[in-house]
Amino acid sequence: MADLTTKIAGITMKNPVMAASGTFGYGLEFADFVNLEEIGGIIVKGTTLHPREGNDYPRMVETASGMLNCVGLQNKGVAYFCEHIYPEIKDIRTNMIVNVSGSTLEDYAECAARINALENIPAIELNISCPNVKQGGMAFGVTTDGAYSVVKAVREVYDKTLIVKLSPNVTSISDIARAVQDAGADAVSLINTLMGMVIDIEKRKPVLSIATGGLSGPAVKSVAVRCVWQVAKAVHIPIVGLGGIMTAEDAIEFFLAGASAIEIGTANFIDPAVTVKVAQGINDWLDRHGCTSLTDIIGQLEA
Amino acid sequence: MKKYVKDLTVAEVSFPHEQYVLLKLTDKEPLPETRPGQFVEVKVEGSPRTFLRRPISINYVDREKNLLWLLIKKVGEGTHKLAELKVGERLNVVFPLGNGFSPVQKVGERVLLVGGGVGVAPMLDYGKYLKEQGANPVFLLGARSKNDLLEMDFFKSIAPVYVTTEDGSEGERGFVTQHSVLTQETFDRISVCGPKPMMVSVARYAKQTATPCEVSLENMMACGLGACLCCVEKTIKGNVCVCKEGPVFDVNDLTWEV
């Protein structure tokens, strides 16, 4: 039995597997399939200062080895979260992390400040990389100045662990990672979805309501591993890797590339119990390879 | 209602029509409790381009033989692959999902169950349930042609069946909303599942006759659990997940133009 404990800045996780935002609801939706407390962390769905209706249907289309979505951050707002959702999830004994999004610096900061006040939320994941909302979201995440300014604004009001989720839709993800590190981020998570498009050739129209959406699933895994590998060489803060992880072996690639933890997203739709299976599989892989601890392999790529 | 992910075993495979397959699945343990109008999500193996699970409505549950019936229309690569399953093979199923049709309201109530195309599937299970609960279900089924009517013997064994076909080869010619039973009889409520234009026209009839009406939707979905927010339908309460808050909705809660 290998030691699967890992640390992301201020938080300690019993194992390195987290459920990715937007794919696991508030965790409760999956309670019939997994013991939520066996998951290292659960990142609940994107929360914004004000309620958002999201984009029109259709919001999803299947692709080869993946899917596109353009949900557009549908959520009931941070006040609803604090009043109605938080009491339901605060006693789940794992790291319950809230993904925070916004369209202005003030929105981001105000939303983060409200969540700062919730005792049992040890961290937020700041989403500066959603490709599916106009003004904001990804606009901050695609320039070093934008990324720096939003992280700086949130850092001033948020004193717990601040993880910043990065977009792969950029020229140099390493530059963005350095900028958010300089602005005070405790960790980075990557990658958010890759922007894509599917066309209905009979109708000669895009399938999705806003034409484009974010690509996820195994189709993006190799891009994600490359990004983690590049960012690991650029920053000294911990990295949470995600993008197309379906199996423990997929996760091991991310650890070798430099991730201290991983998130599982789209795979939850295929197997609602995949999170705990991957955690078990990581343990088995480490045992088979004579590793006593997960930390033995983080960033341990042969030169 | 507790949800499960299980490897069920294919007990019977039949082809009631060249475009459909009827899979009867079983398990060593008694199948979990389900409600009529709920659905399952099946994992398609051996089809590299089928990434997501496929939502399939529950056609019938035979408790005596411990069989879950899935009537599947062969539409794309995934559903064609499902039609290749053989007796004894396994199918991974997440279920039961969604809310299902309304429970019986009162003994003796007359409930019109309207189905078109593959939308007839959940009506079989619902009709059986209503009959068992002392209600009086009546089926109104629409198809293109006589050969496209599915499971007619089963429907007839449960309750009266009225039929329309577009070519007039069985029952009355036309669409379900043109059937004479709608002008000759009245109903306490209506449930409908089928192509959207059919559901809209039934909803219009329901509105004109002030009959409560619920519809079963089949928006494209991913998770089936209310987590991904992909399959949303606009309602008077905002966007809600068809997979979790639905698939059955009171038509008055939707924003359809009826």
Side-chain angles (χ1 to χ4, degrees):
Chain A
M1 188 75 193
D3 179 6
L4 294 185
T5 314
T6 191
K7 284 192 75 169
I8 297 294
I11 60 174
T12 301
M13 295 165 50
K14 65 195 85 161
N15 67 57
V17 177
M18 294 196 273
S21 175
T23 66
F24 211 67
Y26 294 105
L28 305 167
E29 291 86 341
F30 287 75
D32 282 345
F33 304 104
V34 286
N35 177 353
L36 299 174
E37 299 182 352
E38 289 177 17
I39 305 172
I42 296 172
I43 306 180
V44 305
K45 69 176 63 159
T47 302
T48 51
L49 181 60
H50 303 294
R52 289 184 57 96
E53 269 298 300
N55 293 316
D56 284 345
Y57 177 87
R59 294 177 170 183
M60 185 278 292
V61 60
E62 192 174 37
T63 70
S65 295
M67 60 179 275
L68 290 179
N69 88 82
C70 64
V71 170
L73 296 174
Q74 178 181 330
N75 78 102
K76 292 182 174 171
V78 72
Y80 184 91
F81 175 81
C82 293
E83 195 177 334
H84 299 283
I85 310 285
Y86 177 67
E88 299 281 315
I89 64 172
K90 71 180 176 56
D91 296 322
I92 299 172
R93 283 175 300 167
T94 184
N95 294 292
M96 299 300 290
I97 297 170
V98 179
N99 180 284
V100 169
S101 203
S103 352
T104 66
L105 291 180
E106 294 73 25
D107 283 6
Y108 270 107
E110 175 68 21
C111 189
R114 301 262 193 108
I115 290 168
N116 198 41
L118 303 176
E119 190 183 357
N120 292 358
I121 304 291
I124 59 171
E125 180 180 63
L126 200 66
N127 181 4
I128 59 167
S129 43
C130 176
N132 298 325
V133 291
K134 288 178 185 143
Q135 10 82 12
M138 196 167 78
F140 288 106
V142 294
T143 65
T144 51
D145 288 351
Y148 182 90
S149 62
V150 68
V151 174
K152 186 87 180 160
V154 169
R155 180 78 285 177
E156 280 168 12
V157 298
Y158 189 78
D159 54 26
K160 293 188 246 177
T161 300
L162 174 57
I163 305 167
V164 180
K165 190 170 187 178
L166 304 182
S167 172
N169 304 306
V170 294
T171 310
S172 168
I173 196 167
S174 303
D175 289 348
I176 308 283
R178 274 190 217 99
V180 306
Q181 175 178 266
D182 291 347
D186 296 310
V188 285
S189 58
L190 55 141
I191 57 175
N192 206 321
T193 55
L194 281 155
M195 205 189 245
M197 181 170 177
V198 172
I199 291 171
D200 180 328
I201 58 171
E202 300 306 324
K203 294 181 184 157
R204 299 194 184 195
K205 282 182 177 169
V207 172
L208 297 176
S209 62
I210 61 162
T212 61
L215 179 65
S216 64
V220 309
K221 194 193 80 182
S222 60
V223 176
V225 171
R226 180 269 295 175
C227 289
V228 168
W229 177 69
Q230 288 180 323
V231 169
K233 291 190 287 188
V235 299
H236 55 75
I237 53 179
I239 298 169
V240 180
L242 72 150
I245 296 173
M246 302 289 284
T247 65
E249 287 71 19
D250 293 341
I252 301 291
E253 281 195 61
F254 283 81
F255 298 130
L256 290 172
S260 297
I262 55 106
E263 294 177 22
I264 296 183
T266 305
N268 291 306
F269 305 157
I270 315 301
D271 178 0
V274 68
T275 41
V276 293
K277 288 180 189 169
V278 168
Q280 182 62 47
I282 292 167
N283 174 71
D284 297 346
W285 191 93
L286 293 171
D287 284 351
R288 279 203 309 280
H289 292 76
C291 304
T292 54
S293 164
L294 174 72
T295 51
D296 292 355
I297 65 163
I298 294 172
Q300 298 303 305
L301 204 55
E302 297 284 338
Chain B
M1 192 175 274
K2 187 170 160 60
K3 303 180 197 72
Y4 300 84
V5 53
K6 283 178 180 281
D7 279 320
L8 300 182
T9 304
V10 179
E12 286 178 43
V13 183
S14 58
F15 299 91
H17 184 281
E18 60 184 3
Q19 288 175 349
Y20 290 84
V21 61
L22 174 60
L23 298 177
K24 296 185 183 178
L25 308 174
T26 190
D27 197 20
K28 287 195 192 92
E29 302 158 17
L31 291 164
E33 189 191 346
T34 58
R35 279 197 294 264
Q38 288 189 303
F39 65 99
V40 308
E41 281 220 305
V42 302
K43 191 172 168 194
V44 183
E45 302 288 355
S47 171
R49 292 201 293 180
T50 307
F51 176 63
L52 297 168
R53 285 176 181 267
R54 290 295 181 263
I56 310 285
S57 64
I58 294 173
N59 177 210
Y60 191 78
V61 184
D62 184 338
R63 293 283 165 197
E64 217 166 281
K65 294 182 180 163
N66 202 38
L67 294 174
L68 174 73
W69 296 18
L70 303 179
L71 180 63
I72 300 166
K73 186 172 187 184
K74 293 189 272 179
V75 178
E77 195 175 302
T79 44
H80 276 86
K81 199 74 196 173
L82 291 172
E84 293 173 14
L85 280 165
K86 303 279 182 287
V87 171
E89 289 185 323
R90 297 295 188 93
L91 184 63
N92 188 265
V93 182
V94 176
F95 72 123
L97 303 174
N99 58 353
F101 291 114
S102 293
V104 70
Q105 311 287 305
K106 61 176 189 287
V107 171
E109 64 171 339
R110 287 174 51 77
V111 189
L112 182 66
L113 307 183
V114 187
V118 75
V120 302
M123 293 308 171
L124 191 65
D125 199 41
Y126 192 34
K128 178 200 66 166
Y129 158 83
L130 289 172
K131 191 80 187 170
E132 284 170 356
Q133 299 296 314
N136 290 320
V138 172
F139 296 111
L140 174 56
L141 308 177
R144 208 158 287 153
S145 175
K146 181 179 178 170
N147 292 334
D148 301 317
L149 290 161
L150 303 165
E151 301 183 320
M152 286 303 282
D153 292 343
F154 296 112
F155 281 107
K156 285 176 182 166
S157 72
I158 293 169
V161 181
Y162 298 94
V163 167
T164 59
T165 51
E166 288 172 39
D167 64 1
S169 54
E170 180 82 22
E172 296 185 12
R173 181 193 295 266
F175 296 109
V176 286
T177 40
Q178 296 169 317
H179 198 284
S180 57
V181 70
L182 297 182
T183 52
Q184 289 160 3
E185 298 185 26
T186 59
F187 301 93
D188 294 310
R189 57 191 183 91
I190 302 172
S191 297
V192 52
C193 183
K196 186 163 175 189
M198 188 195 92
M199 293 198 288
V200 169
S201 60
V202 172
R204 203 164 283 147
Y205 162 81
K207 191 178 180 185
Q208 285 159 5
T209 57
T211 313
C213 179
E214 60 186 11
V215 297
S216 180
L217 308 186
E218 50 169 16
N219 294 9
M220 284 185 293
M221 56 183 66
C223 73
L225 303 169
C228 71
L229 309 185
C230 287
C231 63
V232 292
E233 178 73 17
K234 270 204 178 86
T235 72
I236 55 173
K237 287 172 267 176
N239 287 325
V240 304
C241 288
V242 167
C243 69
K244 191 178 179 190
E245 276 93 350
V248 179
F249 293 90
D250 183 323
V251 76
N252 291 326
D253 290 342
L254 303 178
T255 57
W256 291 5
E257 303 266 336
V258 296

